[in-house]
Amino acid sequence: MIEIYRYRDLVLALVARELKVRYRRSAIGFTWTMLQPLLMMLVLQVVFSSLFRFQLANYPVYAMAGILFWNFFSQSIVSSMNSLRGNAQLLKKVPVPKAVFPISTVASGVINLIFALVPLLLILVITGHPLTPALLFLPVAILLAALFTLGAGLLLSPLSMFFNDIVEMITVLLSVLMYLTPIFYPKEIVPEKMRWIVRFNPLRSILEVFRDPIYYGKVPPWSHLTVSCLIVLVALAVGAYAFRKSSDRIPFYI
Amino acid sequence: MPELSIQLQGVSLCYRLAKQRIPSFKEYAIHFLRGSLSYEQLWALRDIDLKVAKGETLGIVGRNGAGKSTLLKVISRVLKPTQGSTAIRGNLAPILELGSGFDYELTGLENVYLNALLLGHSRRDIETRVEDIIDFSGLGDFIRAPLRNYSSGMQARLGFAVATAWVPDILILDEVLAVGDATFTAKCEERLRRFHDAGSTVILVSHSPKAVLDNCSRCLWLDDGRLRADGESAKVLDLYLRQHGTDPGEHEAGKLRTPP
């Protein structure tokens, strides 16, 4: 960990490079970050207001907060898995702590998430959703989401070096996880029998910490925050431990 | 006893090569269930004991595939040995391969930063040295051109200039002096001597006996992953050249004597 701190300037440079590539290559790269969740939200709005009937006021805000969170989580997981593969040649020749790659991937994901908050705020204003001081809690919520994602990324990214079909498998598992998490539906519609799945889904806790201040205009209760912090700590500890254990083997699989 | 800079004890390193390549998890699972996972073991290093004192200049010779580069990777902490223990004291400046850590789409200058950051220097540290680095590399205006336009000699110059911009405790060079032109090689050797005077440990892998003789007081001969000889450069090189002569005729003769 101390070693990573020594390489902090490298992490910053890698983040800058990733963002530059993302926003330079396509002329509307920047707009796309903001547009994609908006379009997704419109689709959901059409589908769910006409096909299913939820008892949710102002559904667009609810859905969009969920989409932003999910995009950040799933994209960060997939790109941190690719980050090791993409820098494989380097890992074979330069004694650099390998964790800098997943770390900088998640960090640039956070920056994308912050950009994407702009259209969300726009929707809040347009739909007349109350803007409350609870929104000031968002940085803490984003930090928790980032640390949780980093834990998952550290756990999964070495696998991508050992098997080259693992990224596809994880993509499938991610889409299952998306339906098991109340991203675009309210958790109340889940049948009583299956509610434990949603209840014990750690991602749901982290999602609610992020969505509560936006949608309900309240800071999550202490009990919920404590549980979420514990989940984040466990995720980080498991991820860091697994990464440490496997990182010595990584150069042998290039 | 002088201060040790590198100590290896009983270091062996094994590359596990799957007999059939199993790149995907699906195939791995199938083979695992059938119990048909088999590996071929390739021992690149076997039971190496090595002590290098601080300030020593060490050359390593050996034929292709003898384990020279693997040994350098173990010393620079890129590969962890399968068996044995390593103790490396001080900061490293490893140049393990030409252009390692370069991004070919970035300019030379951007690569100076990237490369130095990868070596663990801070941005502020780099800013104070960047002029020296460009100056030493002798690339002039080419520094603003993308790296993909560089010749291998130019890449070597830039890589060497970045890695040696800071006086390291241990400098590791894998066959890099060979690609530069004569002027640059002389400049590099001058810098190596300066590091030596400043107390750095230098490890150099080379196929050129002259480079080893000129720069190193001690030399190792690696053969099939084992230490064949270790001692004064002139003596070890003499032994080595006697078996694998530089003269092609001699080389052939040596080959004929070895049983298949």
Side-chain angles (χ1 to χ4, degrees):
Chain A
M1 276 299 121
I2 297 161
E3 220 192 350
I4 302 285
Y5 181 70
R6 192 182 142 213
Y7 281 87
R8 62 194 181 279
D9 280 349
L10 173 63
V11 172
L12 286 180
L14 289 174
V15 170
R17 187 171 72 164
E18 223 157 297
L19 293 174
K20 230 186 257 171
V21 167
R22 183 182 169 123
Y23 292 117
R24 193 193 270 163
R25 206 169 276 170
S26 64
I28 60 157
F30 189 74
T31 343
W32 191 236
T33 308
M34 304 186 185
L35 220 57
Q36 191 271 346
L38 272 178
L39 292 173
M40 185 75 190
M41 181 210 73
L42 282 177
V43 172
L44 288 173
Q45 166 70 14
V46 170
V47 171
F48 287 104
S49 63
S50 48
L51 293 179
F52 308 95
R53 302 247 166 228
F54 296 153
Q55 297 307 310
L56 268 185
N58 204 355
Y59 178 69
V61 171
Y62 184 89
M64 190 146 165
I67 293 165
L68 292 190
F69 177 84
W70 179 257
N71 280 355
F72 163 70
F73 178 75
S74 62
Q75 284 169 8
S76 297
I77 296 290
V78 172
S79 10
S80 64
M81 293 185 84
N82 289 330
S83 74
L84 285 183
R85 288 184 83 93
N87 289 292
Q89 284 311 310
L90 221 132
L91 296 176
K92 212 166 65 171
K93 292 169 206 151
V94 186
V96 61
K98 297 164 189 73
V100 296
F101 299 106
I103 289 175
S104 56
T105 310
V106 174
S108 51
V110 168
I111 295 184
N112 284 328
L113 174 61
I114 292 170
F115 283 148
L117 283 177
V118 175
L120 176 68
L121 287 177
L122 213 69
I123 296 291
L124 281 177
V125 173
I126 291 172
T127 56
H129 205 82
L131 296 169
T132 62
L135 285 174
L136 297 177
F137 181 75
L138 269 183
V140 181
I142 291 174
L143 180 69
L144 284 177
L147 292 178
F148 178 79
T149 308
L150 179 63
L154 287 175
L155 175 68
L156 294 172
S157 55
L159 287 178
S160 71
M161 296 304 295
F162 305 148
F163 306 109
N164 59 16
D165 57 349
I166 210 89
V167 180
E168 284 82 8
M169 280 177 55
I170 295 294
T171 315
V172 173
L173 289 179
L174 275 174
S175 59
V176 174
L177 183 62
M178 183 177 81
Y179 288 100
L180 295 180
T181 313
I183 305 283
F184 46 76
Y185 57 82
K187 63 181 173 190
E188 287 73 25
I189 66 155
V190 179
E192 200 69 53
K193 262 195 295 184
M194 293 168 70
R195 203 162 284 177
W196 60 273
I197 299 179
V198 174
R199 199 181 145 84
F200 292 110
N201 178 353
L203 197 58
R204 192 258 319 155
S205 292
I206 312 293
L207 163 66
E208 284 177 357
V209 172
F210 176 76
R211 188 156 53 190
D212 276 6
I214 299 169
Y215 183 71
Y216 296 106
K218 59 164 195 189
V219 174
W222 276 110
S223 55
H224 186 113
L225 271 179
T226 315
V227 173
S228 302
C229 286
L230 280 177
I231 291 172
V232 166
L233 280 180
V234 170
L236 263 185
V238 171
Y241 178 79
F243 197 85
R244 251 181 98 99
K245 276 274 157 193
S246 50
S247 73
D248 286 339
R249 285 169 56 210
I250 288 174
F252 289 99
Y253 284 85
I254 294 164
Chain B
M1 188 76 204
E3 201 185 331
L4 281 183
S5 135
I6 296 165
Q7 186 172 18
L8 305 184
Q9 273 178 321
V11 164
S12 298
L13 189 134
C14 172
Y15 290 108
R16 209 169 60 154
L17 306 170
K19 272 188 183 137
Q20 325 88 307
R21 184 135 171 69
I22 303 178
S24 73
F25 183 75
K26 190 180 75 190
E27 285 173 58
Y28 179 84
I30 293 168
H31 285 281
F32 182 80
L33 291 174
R34 281 205 208 131
S36 64
L37 277 178
S38 54
Y39 297 97
E40 215 154 2
Q41 297 194 329
L42 181 96
W43 289 91
L45 292 176
R46 298 174 210 242
D47 203 23
I48 304 270
D49 285 305
L50 178 65
K51 281 181 186 169
V52 184
K54 192 170 178 303
E56 247 185 308
T57 45
L58 178 71
I60 303 179
V61 293
R63 306 177 69 179
N64 290 336
K68 304 182 297 293
S69 295
T70 306
L71 182 61
L72 289 192
K73 283 180 183 172
V74 168
I75 293 173
S76 40
R77 298 198 196 99
V78 171
L79 292 181
K80 199 180 176 220
T82 319
Q83 289 161 11
S85 65
T86 59
I88 285 100
R89 290 181 195 90
N91 62 317
L92 294 159
I95 313 181
L96 293 180
E97 205 169 301
L98 249 183
S100 53
F102 280 147
D103 183 327
Y104 289 89
E105 294 305 310
L106 298 179
T107 67
L109 186 63
E110 288 169 318
N111 269 300
V112 168
Y113 276 90
L114 180 65
N115 219 304
L117 288 168
L118 283 168
L119 291 172
H121 300 292
S122 71
R123 183 161 282 275
R124 195 194 287 166
D125 243 8
I126 302 166
E127 268 155 17
T128 59
R129 298 288 169 101
V130 73
E131 290 296 327
D132 291 345
I133 294 173
I134 297 170
D135 204 42
F136 186 84
S137 72
L139 287 169
D141 288 337
F142 265 105
I143 203 75
R144 311 210 175 276
L147 212 77
R148 61 184 130 82
N149 298 337
Y150 281 33
S151 69
S152 58
M154 291 160 80
Q155 286 175 37
R157 286 156 83 157
L158 193 61
F160 187 87
V162 174
T164 60
W166 290 263
V167 179
D169 293 321
I170 305 173
L171 176 69
I172 295 176
L173 295 171
D174 192 351
E175 200 63 62
V176 264
L177 295 181
V179 276
D181 54 30
T183 336
F184 190 71
T185 308
K187 239 167 122 185
C188 290
E189 290 183 347
E190 203 271 318
R191 195 164 250 201
L192 287 191
R193 268 188 289 280
R194 228 188 64 214
F195 281 4
H196 179 61
D197 294 342
S200 307
T201 309
V202 177
I203 302 185
L204 174 76
V205 160
S206 181
H207 284 291
S208 142
K210 191 181 172 299
V212 174
L213 211 52
D214 288 353
N215 298 297
C216 309
S217 56
R218 177 181 166 196
C219 181
L220 300 183
W221 173 12
L222 276 181
D223 191 23
D224 198 22
R226 290 175 216 276
L227 259 188
R228 181 81 171 259
D230 176 0
E232 214 176 293
S233 288
K235 281 183 190 162
V236 174
L237 282 169
D238 191 45
L239 281 174
Y240 174 68
L241 289 177
R242 214 175 294 167
Q243 177 144 12
H244 312 291
T246 37
D247 177 49
E250 221 178 303
H251 198 104
E252 286 290 317
K255 244 185 170 177
L256 282 175
R257 274 199 298 275
T258 343

